[in-house]
Amino acid sequence: MSQASLTSLFTPSTRSSQASSSLSQTPSRYGHTRKRSEAEDLSTAEVTPLKRQRITTTSRLQSAAPLAERLRPHTLEEFVGQPHLTGPGSLLMSQLDRGATGSIIFWGPPGCGKTTLARLLAKRTNAVFKELSATDSGIADVRAVADEAKNLLALTGRRTILFLDEVHRFNKAQQDIFLPFIEQGHLQLIGATTENPSFRLTSALLSRCRVFVLERLTDDDIRKIITQAVQRVSQMDSSHETASHPSAHEVHVVDEDIGSSDVASSQPDIEEPLPQPSHSQSSTCSEPGPSSTPASSSQAVPLFPAYPQLTPKVLSTIVSLSTGDARTALSLLELVLSAARTSDEGKLLGALRRSVSTAYDRSGDARYDMISALHKSVRGSQGSAALYWLARMLSAGEDPLYIARRMVVCASEDIGLADNHALPLAMATYQACQVIGMPECRINLAHLVSYLAEAPKSTRSYEGYNRAEEAAKLDPTIPVPLMVRNAPTGLMKDLGYAEGYKYNPEYAHPVTNDYLPIQFRGEEFLRKEGDKRDKVWDEDALRKWELEENGGRPWSGRPAEPDGTSSQMVQQESDAARDKES
């Protein structure tokens, strides 16, 4: 199916000059009657007029919209995905059953259904729906909608829902414009955002709205959306086929424009025969029947007979490339449906892969989620997982210096005193990234990440500083003990500065001084190696690690049992797990 066939339902036919000359008439308010009577007079002529539907401005705009926009669901029952929100008994549906949803913030990734769900909620509650985008709207636009909503509520009792897309684009001062309108009940706000509302929206606005999280659509959801879309497009094509082959006595009637306008109309003023589709076009949506030839019946039946180019492999590729984004999936589907029916599958798959860019926003949550996954993988000594997240970030175009800086921190925070070579290697890698750059510096980063993941771990210095910082904040005015104060002048020495201080290198044995204020004397911020105070012992977590990552062998640091019961239990559980897998 070509792109032209997708929009042909809304495309007016060209004016026939021959018919224009033979059926010229004077415009009047009874133009329709004259057209019908003249067409009936010509019913026995060689050229038979045909009937077609009226083409409106709305239909022209719809024909120009992408497939994802034209195929939005019309009811909540048609909505796919987000069962925790649209399923029976959910909080959102319970509010909807009471007739009003209140003000809502929809937080979710692109293409998960935020806009569609907002429109369906307004339709279900019979509310007036106004839609704005924070990218091209301001306070004046919001105030105009709010004033209109207040007047409408006072006159008719109907509520108004304002849907604000990309609500996080409004700054804090702009977000405050909603507060009085929401508080007084004149307006219900539904905001959509792909950013974390905790960071991008004001606490005052959040306190007046309920935040609903929309998850990324699953592969099954995307597959269902594509299947439904193909069915709807097939029905549209079938309707077009029917409209292109009416009975011989039907007449092509075109309505006059309502009112007067300075804009020239593209619709014909007279009756004219619609162009007959070619044989190839008329057979686009045909399905194999009993009269198929033996050669065609021997071939495998396509997944969608009307669109043989949409093979199972192409469908799976669309699902994979969309990564849970319904809008991307439908855009890719539109490319496939517009391709030739005899398109080569390999070339079509290559074109689809080249048409999709990696979804990675350096200023969004995905960036911080991935660097967090990388850091936690290194901390957990999972080198394979750490390299995977490193590759994900670099392949998406992340700045290697950003990753190197985090690894410098990781070298001291997580490896610390257990391996003093980790920090110099991290700094050397950072300098290598500065000097060499991508793509070669990915090798340096892989070296560093692998080393840090396999290095022994110690957080003694990191945790020791945290304990010391907590003590320092208790009373920032505690004076420094006189013994350890600096005494560069005689006056300071007379005042007792550095009095009694013992210079350690002068002694052949250990000596002590008053290093801490008296309030914290004896406090141990930096604990000894092997000190397990404040550490949690989780037997279930340990056994899971022993079974999944240690080959069923007991951890070497497990306390020895006199009868060896712990080791025996671990070994038995490991054997049972292997038997179950086999």
Side-chain angles (χ1 to χ4, degrees):
M1 185 185 79
S2 64
Q3 181 68 25
S5 63
L6 279 173
T7 58
S8 58
L9 288 175
F10 310 103
T11 306
S13 61
T14 57
R15 181 178 301 179
S16 172
S17 59
Q18 179 180 359
S20 177
S21 60
S22 62
L23 297 176
S24 58
Q25 59 181 357
T26 304
S28 69
R29 60 181 299 180
Y30 304 104
H32 290 300
T33 305
R34 300 177 102 185
K35 293 175 183 178
R36 289 190 180 93
S37 61
E38 291 175 7
E40 290 172 356
D41 294 339
L42 294 175
S43 59
T44 59
E46 182 179 354
V47 179
T48 302
L50 304 177
K51 183 179 180 180
R52 60 181 279 176
Q53 297 178 349
R54 179 185 178 186
I55 301 175
T56 64
T57 303
T58 302
S59 64
R60 291 191 184 97
L61 295 177
Q62 289 176 348
S63 66
L67 187 65
E69 181 66 27
R70 298 201 301 272
L71 298 183
R72 288 186 186 272
H74 301 297
T75 63
L76 280 171
E77 289 72 23
E78 298 177 3
F79 187 82
V80 178
Q82 317 304 333
H84 63 291
L85 296 181
T86 60
S90 64
L91 180 59
L92 183 59
M93 292 298 102
S94 299
Q95 291 181 337
L96 192 61
D97 293 338
R98 292 195 295 268
T101 59
S103 293
I104 295 172
I105 300 296
F106 284 147
W107 173 30
C112 65
K114 298 184 293 295
T115 302
T116 299
L117 187 55
R119 293 178 180 178
L120 295 178
L121 291 178
K123 185 176 181 180
R124 176 70 68 88
T125 57
N126 195 29
V128 177
F129 187 77
K130 300 292 184 179
E131 188 170 345
L132 295 176
S133 175
T135 59
D136 59 0
S137 303
I139 291 179
D141 302 302
V142 175
R143 194 182 300 277
V145 173
D147 292 340
E148 182 181 349
K150 180 180 178 181
N151 296 332
L152 184 66
L153 182 63
L155 293 175
T156 66
R158 290 187 67 188
R159 296 181 178 272
T160 300
I161 291 179
L162 171 60
F163 176 73
L164 184 63
D165 198 14
E166 305 291 338
V167 63
H168 60 274
R169 297 290 187 91
F170 269 16
N171 57 39
K172 293 184 177 181
Q174 290 174 312
Q175 292 177 30
D176 289 342
I177 188 63
F178 297 106
L179 302 183
F181 304 124
I182 295 176
E183 206 164 64
Q184 296 167 6
H186 298 160
L187 188 70
Q188 290 183 4
L189 172 68
I190 298 182
T193 177
T194 57
E195 303 292 336
N196 192 330
S198 302
F199 302 141
R200 304 302 296 270
L201 302 184
T202 63
S203 57
L205 182 59
L206 288 176
S207 68
R208 292 163 172 81
C209 302
R210 302 282 70 79
V211 177
F212 290 100
V213 180
L214 281 76
E215 304 293 342
R216 189 177 298 277
L217 297 176
T218 64
D219 289 351
D220 292 338
D221 293 335
I222 296 296
R223 194 178 299 272
K224 183 177 180 180
I225 290 173
I226 294 175
T227 303
Q228 292 180 351
V230 174
Q231 293 173 352
R232 291 180 61 180
V233 172
S234 300
Q235 294 174 359
M236 293 165 58
D237 285 347
S238 299
S239 301
H240 178 58
E241 291 283 328
T242 304
S244 299
H245 296 82
S247 59
H249 65 275
E250 288 183 333
V251 181
H252 175 202
V253 179
V254 181
D255 293 338
E256 289 182 338
D257 293 332
I258 300 176
S260 60
S261 174
D262 294 334
V263 181
S265 174
S266 62
Q267 300 191 38
D269 295 332
I270 60 166
E271 300 83 359
E272 58 179 282
L274 291 176
Q276 296 292 335
S278 63
H279 180 270
S280 61
Q281 291 176 342
S282 63
S283 62
T284 301
C285 298
S286 62
E287 296 187 8
S291 60
S292 300
T293 61
S296 62
S297 61
S298 62
Q299 299 177 357
V301 178
L303 186 63
F304 300 98
Y307 310 103
Q309 70 271 30
L310 185 57
T311 63
K313 190 171 183 180
V314 172
L315 177 61
S316 299
T317 300
I318 293 177
V319 173
S320 177
L321 293 176
S322 64
T323 61
D325 188 333
R327 188 179 295 107
T328 300
L330 291 175
S331 298
L332 294 174
L333 175 65
E334 189 171 12
L335 292 177
V336 174
L337 299 185
S338 63
R341 293 163 56 88
T342 58
S343 299
D344 180 70
E345 184 182 68
K347 294 181 179 180
L348 190 57
L349 292 175
L352 289 176
R353 294 189 180 99
R354 289 191 297 270
S355 66
V356 178
S357 61
T358 304
Y360 185 81
D361 185 4
R362 289 193 185 182
S363 62
D365 290 341
R367 181 194 203 194
Y368 303 107
D369 289 342
M370 287 191 186
I371 195 65
S372 175
L374 171 59
H375 193 154
K376 288 181 172 66
S377 299
V378 171
R379 180 183 297 148
S381 299
Q382 297 296 316
S384 298
L387 287 175
Y388 169 79
W389 293 116
L390 173 66
R392 277 283 300 272
M393 298 183 73
L394 291 179
S395 300
E398 181 56 76
D399 182 6
L401 292 178
Y402 172 73
I403 302 175
R405 284 194 295 269
R406 175 59 73 95
M407 291 298 99
V408 170
V409 175
C410 179
S412 292
E413 177 184 346
D414 297 292
I415 288 79
L417 298 174
D419 186 347
N420 291 322
H421 298 290
L423 182 58
L425 178 61
M427 289 303 303
T429 303
Y430 181 80
Q431 293 177 351
C433 291
Q434 286 181 314
V435 174
I436 298 176
M438 284 292 289
E440 288 81 3
C441 72
R442 75 188 192 283
I443 305 173
N444 306 109
L445 284 171
H447 176 192
L448 173 63
V449 167
S450 302
Y451 182 89
L452 297 181
E454 296 185 350
K457 307 298 189 294
S458 172
T459 58
R460 287 199 302 136
S461 59
Y462 175 67
E463 294 176 352
Y465 174 80
N466 290 338
R467 284 188 286 267
E469 184 181 40
E470 184 179 353
K473 291 180 178 179
L474 292 177
D475 188 357
T477 64
I478 297 178
V480 178
L482 288 174
M483 183 179 293
V484 292
R485 291 188 185 184
N486 187 30
T489 65
L491 176 61
M492 290 181 175
K493 292 179 180 178
D494 294 340
L495 293 175
Y497 283 31
E499 183 177 356
Y501 172 71
K502 298 177 180 61
Y503 183 60
N504 301 71
E506 292 182 349
Y507 293 86
H509 53 79
V511 294
T512 185
N513 295 290
D514 294 335
Y515 299 107
L516 281 172
I518 191 172
Q519 293 90 333
F520 301 110
R521 197 162 297 170
E523 186 73 30
E524 191 176 24
F525 299 121
L526 181 61
R527 295 177 179 175
K528 302 298 182 182
E529 184 177 357
D531 192 327
K532 301 297 183 182
R533 282 180 291 171
D534 301 333
K535 303 299 181 182
V536 177
W537 183 275
D538 190 333
E539 184 65 25
D540 293 336
L542 176 58
R543 289 186 179 181
K544 182 178 180 181
W545 177 85
E546 290 172 333
L547 291 172
E548 296 182 2
E549 299 187 20
N550 205 39
R553 298 183 300 274
W555 176 47
S556 58
R558 178 183 285 279
E561 297 289 343
D563 55 356
T565 54
S566 296
S567 300
Q568 293 175 3
M569 290 176 63
V570 171
Q571 190 64 41
Q572 291 174 0
E573 291 176 1
S574 176
D575 295 340
R578 291 196 188 95
D579 294 340
K580 186 177 180 180
E581 292 177 357
S582 60

